Structure formats: structure tokens, C-alpha cells
Amino acid sequence: MRLDRFLSNLPRFNRADARLLLAAGRLRVDGETVRDGRHEVREFSRIELDDELLQTGKPARYFMLNKPAGVVSATEHPEHRTVLDLLDEPGKHELHIGGRLDLTTTGLLVITNDGLWSRRLTEPRSRLGKVYRVTTEQPITPEYAEVFARGLYFAYENLTTLPAELEILSSHEALLTLHEGRYHQVKRMFGHFQNKVTGLHRERMGPLVLDPALAPGQYRALNSAEIAQV
Ligand code: URA
């Protein structure tokens, strides 16, 4: 969010106050004086007005987790274990999930407190493909690839899915690359052919590849190269 917006969202200041404070050079972001209201600040920016701390600024945190089946992609749930239960990290309730997976789906899940970063990773206009390994009950035919590339109409949302790429690996297994994340999208796409998905595993999200060293339920922090790639 812009710094002027951050200030005018505080109950004590309106937009005119924010402009005056900025012009007077009374604001510091991460230790630097900022006079331009368009300066972008984030949840973990440290923001000071004179000697007063307006926002403490928390360090950004990024994890990848190999989600097992039977665990929900949510921070709280009344009956199932959640992916947050798998994390042994202080302050984990400040984290959110970038790109959820269904209860039965396994594989790459990203957990962070950096909302801008996770939005970049998941929003369709970033054009970062999410790659799923799909196993099905019935054989997969080349017609699927044509239909998925054209897009499928989803009546409930009244939309046509973005072109998706299908690479058939064997009679019952394929890699599907999606550029969006509609509700139960992969299962519904195969459902168009009355073909039940029996296994669904996310291997990749844009440049991030699930670390093969992570067993189901394990996680690790992302390294700085992985964070910077997104
Ligand atoms: N599509 C699905 O059907 N389920 C997922 O978990 C992800 C994509």
C-alpha cells in the first residue's frame, strides 16, 4: 500500500494531514526519511513518525510445505488438522497460505506473511503456471489437451477457464499446467470427460519447485534465490 494511504487509514490522520507530515519530512520507513506519499509500504515495513513507532515491521517469512492428504489448507478448522498445525514456528498465526489445495490434494504449498509476494505467485496476470500431476480412473486421450487449451466453460462462475497445457505421461497420468486457481478446477476439468481424478499432486508454482527432500508433512524456509524469483 502507498504510504499516504497507510497514514490516512489511521484514525488520527486525514489525507491533508498525511500530505503535511510527508512534506515536513517527519516520516521514516525502515530508517529512511520518505517525503513521497506514493512510496510503497508493506506489512513488515517499519514506519515511524518523528520518534513514534506507527508500525513495528516484522521480518518477511516464506516456507514451502509438502502437503499430505487429509490436512486442510486453512489456518483454522473445526474437525481437520490444518497445514498450520504442521508448522513449528513462532507467530505462525500471522502467516497465510498462497494458493490453497483441496483436502485430498498433495504437494507444494506456500506459506508466508508477504501478501504482495503471494499474490504475485498466484494471480493469473502473473502468468506463473502451477503444475499438477494428475492420476485418473479412466484413460486420458489427446482430446483432453485440445479442450483444456481452448478453455472450459464453468457455468457456476459463468467463466471460461484460461488456456491450460496438458502433457500426457501415460494412459492414466498427465501433467497439467494451470494459470489460475478456480474451485476444484482440475477435478472439474477432468470431470468434463466423466473421468475421476484419483490422485492430484502439485509439483510446481511458477519458478518454485517442490523440494524432493521434503516428505509429506515436512516443510522448509525458502532460500533468498527462491524468494527473489517470484
Ligand atoms: N484443482 C483441484 O481440483 N484441486 C486442487 O487442490 C487444486 C486444483
Side-chain angles (χ1 to χ4, degrees):
M1 149 182 348
R2 288 166 51 137
L3 179 57
D4 52 4
R5 181 101 192 275
F6 168 87
L7 291 170
S8 53
N9 279 351
L10 297 174
R12 2 189 317 216
F13 302 126
N14 58 30
R15 281 162 66 181
D17 298 328
R19 260 200 306 277
L20 286 172
L21 293 170
L22 283 158
R26 293 176 58 191
L27 283 143
R28 277 200 312 278
V29 177
D30 297 327
E32 300 284 330
T33 300
V34 175
R35 289 189 161 82
D36 185 350
R38 291 169 301 181
H39 186 95
E40 284 289 320
V41 291
R42 307 170 80 175
E43 308 84 294
F44 38 82
S45 305
R46 180 182 173 88
I47 306 175
E48 293 162 279
L49 168 65
D50 302 328
D51 291 329
E52 184 188 353
L53 197 54
L54 299 179
Q55 178 173 284
T56 47
K58 302 236 169 81
R61 298 155 80 199
Y62 309 85
F63 302 96
M64 71 159 72
L65 174 118
N66 185 357
K67 177 191 168 303
V71 173
V72 263
S73 293
T75 49
E76 282 175 36
H77 197 276
E79 55 184 291
H80 290 291
R81 267 202 317 161
T82 71
V83 291
L84 274 202
D85 294 330
L86 301 173
L87 251 57
D88 181 17
E89 296 293 327
K92 63 184 180 181
H93 287 282
E94 292 162 7
L95 304 173
H96 65 266
I97 299 158
R100 291 161 190 266
L101 293 172
D102 298 341
L103 184 66
T104 55
T105 306
T106 58
L108 177 61
L109 205 65
V110 162
I111 302 173
T112 179
N113 60 351
D114 185 345
L116 275 184
W117 183 88
S118 64
R119 224 170 299 138
R120 259 203 317 279
L121 185 64
T122 52
E123 69 185 359
R125 72 189 160 115
S126 303
R127 300 286 308 149
L128 296 176
K130 283 87 194 164
V131 181
Y132 295 87
R133 184 173 288 264
V134 190
T135 315
T136 57
E137 203 165 76
Q138 309 297 325
I140 304 165
T141 67
E143 190 200 346
Y144 287 45
E146 289 160 31
V147 171
F148 294 171
R150 276 202 302 272
L152 267 173
Y153 179 66
F154 281 1
Y156 183 73
E157 296 95 331
N158 186 26
L159 58 80
T160 299
T161 55
L162 293 173
E165 297 93 55
L166 186 75
E167 184 190 342
I168 300 174
L169 301 175
S170 67
S171 62
H172 292 69
E173 194 178 32
L175 290 178
L176 178 64
T177 303
L178 297 184
H179 300 278
E180 61 194 328
R182 305 285 170 200
Y183 179 69
H184 286 190
Q185 182 163 349
V186 176
K187 292 170 188 160
R188 289 161 80 194
M189 288 169 75
F190 282 82
H192 172 81
F193 295 97
Q194 277 86 49
N195 195 351
K196 187 168 178 223
V197 170
T198 53
L200 185 55
H201 180 79
R202 184 157 64 197
E203 295 192 340
R204 172 190 274 270
M205 297 175 79
L208 293 180
V209 181
L210 179 63
D211 185 335
L214 294 175
Q218 289 187 332
Y219 71 96
R220 68 159 169 83
L222 295 187
N223 61 42
S224 46
E226 288 169 327
I227 297 163
Q229 275 166 6
V230 173

